[in-house]
């Protein structure tokens, strides 16, 4: 290889091989500064529920296969912003600085409170236990009080009441929730996917499911809904 390397060619008296090497070195240095200087904190629960405490003493209980990301460098300076994919229960520490949970469907503005959030491609589901939160987009804001539930699905916002919050720690306990929430719970808990029609996703059910037996969950779902659910290639569908 060394024999094939020719002497550096020069244009206008410049050694372009050295310049190219310098550019390559500068690019590598810039990438290293970006990569190692990144302040994003990624908190992911994989095979079990995980509880974390942020620097402001906010506690977050993360569901399996769920992720919270925040910028350590800016968190708490003017606002406290975290991004959620999956499900988490938040106990937000009181502060003058706004706490915001960012999801694909919009933001949840928090005013020192306890609440449950589920967020995936099909549904944003928020149950407020204590305090006050508001669902916000660029054009819209809707505040709820304890005992109210926000559901955002297929471009539609609904606010409903509940007397008992949805449980997902020991069992999957759902009362009058859309099918998209139930299937989302199975997706998080058993690391499977689902594919059903949009018209079925908005149908509502009350159901209790175990967290250690996917086959039994599908059977119970079949019995409650009357639909022939099945697991095919790790995807829950209706036959």
């Amino acid at each position: 290889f060394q024999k094939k390397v020719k002497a550096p060619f020069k244009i206008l008296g410049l050694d372009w091989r050295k310049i190219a090497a310098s550019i390559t070195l500068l690019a590598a240095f810039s990438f290293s500064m970006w990569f190692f200087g990144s302040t994003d904190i990624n908190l992911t629960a994989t095979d079990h529920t995980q509880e974390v405490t942020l620097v402001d003493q906010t506690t977050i209980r993360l569901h399996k296969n769920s992720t919270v990301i925040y910028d350590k460098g800016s968190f708490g300076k003017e606002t406290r912003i975290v991004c959620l994919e999956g499900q988490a229960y938040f106990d937000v520490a009181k502060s003058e600085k706004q706490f915001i949970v960012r999801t694909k469907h919009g933001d949840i503005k928090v005013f020192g409170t306890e609440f449950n959030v589920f967020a995936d491609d099909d549904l944003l589901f928020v149950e407020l236990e204590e305090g006050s939160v508001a669902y916000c987009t660029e054009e819209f804001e809707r505040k709820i009080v304890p005992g109210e539930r926000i559901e955002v699905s297929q471009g539609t916002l609904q606010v409903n009441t509940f007397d008992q919050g949805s449980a997902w720690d020991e069992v999957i306990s759902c009362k009058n929730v859309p099918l998209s929430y139930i299937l989302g719970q199975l997706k998080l808990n058993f690391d499977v996917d689902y594919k059903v029609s949009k018209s079925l996703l908005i149908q509502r059910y009350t159901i209790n499911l175990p967290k250690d037996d996917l086959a039994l969950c599908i059977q119970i779902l079949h019995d409650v809904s009357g639909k022939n659910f099945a697991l095919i290639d790790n995807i829950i569908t209706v036959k």
Side-chain angles (χ1 to χ4, degrees), residues 80-92:
R80 299 173 290 167
I81 299 176
V82 300
C83 300
L84 173 67
E85 176 68 24
Q87 186 165 24
Y89 187 91
F90 291 84
D91 185 354
V92 178

Side-chain angles (χ1 to χ4, degrees), residues 111-124:
F111 308 96
T113 186
E114 294 185 29
F115 60 103
N116 177 40
V117 182
F118 171 85
D120 69 359
D121 293 335
D122 295 313
L123 177 70
L124 172 63

Side-chain angles (χ1 to χ4, degrees), residues 130-175:
E130 180 182 307
S132 178
V133 303
Y135 167 69
C136 305
T137 66
E138 292 182 357
E139 304 86 14
F140 179 82
E141 180 169 325
R142 175 65 158 87
K143 185 176 285 189
I144 61 173
V145 298
E148 288 187 326
R149 172 196 292 162
I150 288 174
E151 297 174 16
V152 181
S153 176
Q154 301 181 26
T156 301
L157 169 69
Q158 292 187 47
V159 177
N160 302 309
T161 60
F162 67 94
D163 53 12
Q164 183 176 356
S166 302
W168 44 269
D169 276 350
E170 303 298 330
V171 296
I172 300 170
S173 179
C174 310
K175 186 175 182 180

Side-chain angles (χ1 to χ4, degrees), residues 167-219:
W168 44 269
D169 276 350
E170 303 298 330
V171 296
I172 300 170
S173 179
C174 310
K175 186 175 182 180
N176 190 29
V177 300
L179 178 62
S180 55
Y181 179 80
I182 298 169
L183 293 177
Q185 291 297 307
L186 299 182
K187 180 178 179 179
L188 291 178
N189 195 69
F190 296 103
D191 197 19
V192 297
D193 208 343
Y194 63 87
K195 186 176 182 181
V196 301
S197 67
K198 290 184 177 181
S199 61
L200 288 180
L201 289 178
I202 61 175
Q203 295 185 9
R204 310 183 75 84
Y205 300 99
T206 296
I207 195 170
N208 292 319
L209 300 171
K211 296 190 65 174
D212 57 356
D213 191 334
L214 178 57
L216 181 56
C217 289
I218 293 175
Q219 181 61 49

Side-chain angles (χ1 to χ4, degrees), residues 1 16 19 26 32 34 45 60 72 119 143 149 161 164 178 182 186 208 213 226 229 236:
F1 174 78
W16 289 95
I19 292 175
L26 178 60
S32 298
W34 170 83
I60 304 174
K72 183 179 179 182
K143 185 176 285 189
R149 172 196 292 162
T161 60
Q164 183 176 356
I182 298 169
L186 299 182
N208 292 319
D213 191 334
F229 285 94
I236 300 172

